[in-house]
Amino acid sequence: MCTLEKRGDLFLLTLTGDDEHRFHPDTITSVLSLLQQAKSQSTRGSVLITTAHGKFFSNGFDLAWAQSAGSQTGAVNRMHQMVESFKPVISALFELPMPTIAALNGHAAASGLMFALSHDYVFMRKDRGVLYMSEVDLGLPLPDYFAAMFAAKIGTSIARRELLLSGKKLKGEEAVALGIVDSAGQDSAEGVVEATVSLGESLAAKRWNGEVYASIRKSLYPEVCAMLGLTAKIAATP
Amino acid sequence: MCTLEKRGRLFILTLTGDGEHRLNPTLLNAIHSAITQIRSDPSSPHSILITTSHGKFFSNGYDLALAETNPSLRPVMDAKLRSLVADLISLPMPTIAAVTGHASAAGFLLAMSHDYVLMRRDRGFLYMSELDIELVIPAWFMAVIRMKIGSPAARRDVVLTAEKVTADRGVEMGIVDSSCGSAAETVEAAIKLGEELVRGGVDGHVYGGRRETLLREVLDTIGSDVSGSGGVRISGSKL
């Protein structure tokens, strides 16, 4: 389902297997646990790179699992459960005491895109993979903390409209032009991972204090933090 | 520490001497006096403020060495800078920072607290150094940063990579209005811009009022941020 490996200073979190890497309660629990592991093992110079195998980075929540509840109410409850239990994953990313980089091997949709954007840097492939907020096409509302994240990370109203209201499928170069991702220069999954490793190593070389890094990150996004119930911990020492 | 001269309708505030122009209580008091003097001048609603400096530095931030020896001065410096920035926001005239040297942390903040930022291209950088020296960035600094740096990626680059932003990169990021050849050319360009603005016939009181409205959020955060004085450390000192 997902693995965490260490390559020098870099933690590599991989959503494994050739499936859609949908966020289901079990996946959510596993990812959260691996993020907590990375946090507990973090030192100066640690960096997280998150990627996945196959055609998808993540295609969002497991809607099939929600539907298999057998009733409309049951399905809605399961959706709600996933939306709520996903918050700690986003919080964990926000509190992670190290720079975070998403290396998109493929498509990132809905909560999969939310997951990607919750990283400090997002790299896409040039040749494959789209960003897609599928909710509008599926008739689903946007969770409030998703909306806060997109508002904070996507700077122009045009870019937000394209992604959130128009239900557009954005390829790499378009996503860079709209300021949604940092780079879409690579023509393969290996290429994009390599590019993020390169960035990761240059960030690692700074040997930043992870607690300070996380604190500054949170202060950059006060509305998102408020929605996640995160406060910037400021502990003054004499 | 600082001088104030008047050239026609231009008030030129210069941080003098070859030092780092660290924003310690003494310098902050001196700047405050100069601003008070500007306000009391009858020509002020039809004037311009240009802030510049001598030497290698515009300002290298708070006097952290002083704060190490006397920690009670940390909140004092923070309070005085807040007061100065609020003063600049309500000042009844356009303000121009002619950045002729490095501007780091609180020094960067001071430059950004002007309406226009002109900067020399040949040397010097804007540097939100906190991450590199293990300090958190106060919420009120962040309010100024969010107001003055429009792109989320640029804000991230400034605070989360502690990028050393040259003038041309600053123009790209929308932090700097224009880059100029040298220190002298930067000041000249600021004077030229100032004279243009004077010719435009600004009513300073209206101008200052509108700026306050535009930067209302910043003023509110300056007033309410009690999360910490500037220069709060998370862990052991690196100095």
Side-chain angles (χ1 to χ4, degrees):
Chain A
M1 205 181 280
C2 50
T3 59
L4 184 70
E5 26 163 330
K6 192 101 191 293
R7 281 190 214 175
D9 287 314
L10 311 181
F11 286 94
L12 197 66
L13 171 63
T14 309
L15 306 178
T16 54
D18 260 322
D19 57 300
E20 295 185 5
H21 311 128
R22 287 207 176 246
F23 287 114
H24 167 284
D26 296 339
T27 343
I28 291 171
T29 305
S30 302
V31 169
L32 185 58
S33 149
L34 291 181
L35 288 173
Q36 284 159 348
Q37 208 182 305
K39 182 175 186 184
S40 68
Q41 292 171 12
S42 71
T43 59
R44 272 180 194 278
S46 292
V47 173
L48 173 77
I49 295 173
T50 304
T51 192
H53 291 158
K55 266 178 75 175
F56 290 88
F57 180 72
S58 166
N59 212 16
F61 288 130
D62 195 335
L63 302 180
W65 178 73
Q67 294 290 22
S68 70
S71 69
Q72 178 67 352
T73 324
V76 168
N77 285 344
R78 283 189 174 187
M79 273 306 301
H80 186 77
Q81 186 190 328
M82 287 188 286
V83 169
E84 281 310 297
S85 65
F86 197 56
K87 260 190 184 176
V89 170
I90 304 303
S91 297
L93 271 175
F94 252 42
E95 303 223 271
L96 209 63
M98 64 184 79
T100 57
I101 311 169
L104 304 196
N105 55 298
H107 309 305
S111 57
L113 175 50
M114 173 67 181
F115 184 53
L117 284 188
S118 303
H119 289 67
D120 300 324
Y121 302 86
V122 183
F123 279 38
M124 273 179 88
R125 286 168 69 159
K126 179 164 41 172
D127 61 330
R128 285 203 189 168
V130 296
L131 307 181
Y132 175 38
M133 282 310 282
S134 43
E135 284 90 342
V136 68
D137 291 337
L138 295 171
L140 293 172
L142 195 60
D144 58 3
Y145 68 101
F146 280 37
M149 183 71 77
F150 293 131
K153 296 257 186 164
I154 302 174
T156 68
S157 55
I158 288 175
R160 290 191 292 267
R161 179 201 68 210
E162 292 294 82
L163 198 57
L164 300 172
L165 297 179
S166 306
K168 273 239 173 124
K169 287 175 181 162
L170 297 173
K171 288 178 159 179
E173 285 174 318
E174 236 184 313
V176 170
L178 288 169
I180 299 171
V181 305
D182 294 293
S183 152
Q186 312 298 322
D187 277 320
S188 66
E190 294 74 33
V192 80
V193 172
E194 232 175 85
T196 57
V197 164
S198 188
L199 170 63
E201 284 171 350
S202 68
L203 296 173
K206 302 289 197 152
R207 312 266 30 96
W208 287 316
N209 176 312
E211 288 303 317
V212 174
Y213 187 92
S215 200
I216 293 175
R217 177 207 282 126
K218 284 186 286 184
S219 67
L220 246 187
Y221 308 110
E223 293 88 5
V224 177
C225 286
M227 218 155 268
L228 295 173
L230 300 177
T231 46
K233 281 172 294 179
I234 301 176
T237 57
Chain B
M1 285 229 112
C2 70
T3 58
L4 183 64
E5 48 168 308
K6 189 118 183 279
R7 281 191 222 182
R9 290 286 171 84
L10 310 182
F11 288 100
I12 302 177
L13 170 62
T14 309
L15 308 181
T16 52
D18 263 320
E20 295 185 7
H21 313 131
R22 289 264 179 183
L23 298 171
N24 53 39
T26 317
L27 180 55
L28 287 165
N29 287 343
I31 299 172
H32 174 75
S33 291
I35 304 280
T36 306
Q37 219 180 304
I38 291 172
R39 280 184 186 271
S40 63
D41 189 306
S43 77
S44 66
H46 308 287
S47 304
I48 309 289
L49 167 66
I50 296 172
T51 303
T52 190
S53 63
H54 290 160
K56 263 181 78 177
F57 291 89
F58 180 77
S59 166
N60 212 17
Y62 287 131
D63 195 334
L64 299 178
L66 182 64
E68 281 294 307
T69 58
N70 189 349
S72 68
L73 290 181
R74 244 189 261 273
V76 171
M77 288 187 276
D78 176 72
K80 286 182 188 287
L81 184 62
R82 284 186 208 215
S83 176
L84 172 58
V85 172
D87 222 347
L88 286 170
I89 290 175
S90 67
L91 204 65
M93 67 184 67
T95 57
I96 306 169
V99 181
T100 49
H102 303 301
S104 314
F108 185 177
L109 208 290
L110 178 62
M112 274 194 288
S113 301
H114 292 68
D115 301 322
Y116 300 84
V117 177
L118 273 49
M119 186 171 170
R120 67 188 293 182
R121 174 192 304 131
D122 58 338
R123 273 193 198 180
F125 39 75
L126 307 172
Y127 174 38
M128 208 45 84
S129 54
E130 284 83 344
L131 180 60
D132 284 345
I133 55 176
E134 298 193 26
L135 296 176
V136 298
I137 298 177
W140 77 268
F141 269 39
M142 208 50 99
V144 174
I145 290 166
R146 277 145 60 90
M147 182 58 75
K148 298 280 180 158
I149 306 178
S151 135
R155 290 194 289 263
R156 178 212 50 210
D157 289 344
V158 166
V159 310
L160 273 183
T161 68
E163 181 174 341
K164 289 178 173 152
V165 181
T166 58
D168 287 332
R169 176 82 171 121
V171 170
E172 245 175 59
M173 289 170 129
I175 307 172
V176 174
D177 289 287
S178 68
S179 62
C180 315
S182 65
E185 284 169 60
T186 306
V187 175
E188 232 173 85
I191 288 172
K192 195 159 160 241
L193 172 61
E195 286 168 349
E196 241 175 76
L197 292 170
V198 167
R199 274 195 301 276
V202 185
D203 178 336
H205 291 301
V206 173
Y207 187 94
R210 290 172 73 106
R211 190 207 285 112
E212 280 185 286
T213 307
L214 183 64
L215 299 178
R216 172 55 40 198
E217 223 180 277
V218 176
L219 287 174
D220 288 345
T221 318
I222 285 177
S224 66
D225 178 19
V226 292
S227 59
S229 42
V232 174
R233 259 176 234 299
I234 282 286
S235 57
S237 171
K238 213 176 156 181
L239 297 175

